[in-house]
Amino acid sequence: MNQKKGELMNAKKSSDSKAEMILRMFPTDANPAGNVFGGEILKQIDTVAGIVAQRHCESNAVTASIDRVNFLKPVYVGNALVLHAQINYVHRSSMEIEVAVEAEDLRTGKKVLTNTAFVTMVALGENGKPTPVPELILETDDEKKRFQEGEKRMQQRISERKKSHV
């Protein structure tokens, strides 16, 4: 469990905020060759990550960064875009959401992993300023591993941010 000294917010499980979105991809989402635009996929990644973050923090949440986005396979017009998102890590006011994206051929039912991404969302209070988020209850070995890996990535992001402000 992520302990915050002197703070007893309602801790939540990762499963409390998981989200899945399914959308059909249309010609307006793609180039003339029928490949779905990367920007459309990023938009949907941001949307599902926002749902997970707001479920966890129960307040407004905004995107701080989208990183480690991997485009593994193309998505085509007519495919269903299936996005799976879960919270991996919480810091003071920020949360790391992992998103896996699949393209489903609706004629065959075949699904292919097309994208993965890590999205950092920040909880905002009524005043529009960052506000603390609930602790994350870690129930499984996988959740504990994801939390530790998320913590390492967060430390890396903080280090990179400090270097860019020099």
Side-chain angles (χ1 to χ4, degrees), residues 28-133:
T28 54
D29 301 319
N31 66 23
N35 296 74
V36 173
F37 294 121
E40 180 62 29
I41 295 168
L42 287 171
K43 173 184 169 185
Q44 301 308 331
I45 287 171
D46 192 37
T47 299
V48 75
I51 291 168
V52 170
Q54 287 190 301
R55 281 180 171 170
H56 184 76
C57 68
E58 297 179 0
S59 68
N60 187 25
V62 295
T63 306
S65 71
I66 300 178
D67 58 35
R68 312 300 194 280
V69 179
N70 297 300
F71 289 86
L72 307 170
K73 301 276 184 184
V75 178
Y76 301 106
V77 168
N79 286 158
L81 196 66
V82 182
L83 299 101
H84 306 274
Q86 70 180 44
I87 190 165
N88 284 342
Y89 175 75
V90 298
H91 198 54
R92 283 179 229 113
S93 61
S94 63
M95 300 154 277
E96 181 192 83
I97 316 297
E98 182 174 0
V99 182
V101 182
E102 296 174 312
E104 179 182 355
D105 183 326
L106 294 170
R107 292 169 295 157
T108 65
K110 182 180 177 188
K111 291 181 182 177
V112 177
L113 181 66
T114 62
N115 299 81
T116 59
F118 293 105
V119 183
T120 302
M121 305 291 293
V122 175
L124 300 180
E126 299 281 327
N127 61 0
K129 303 286 185 197
T131 189
V133 299

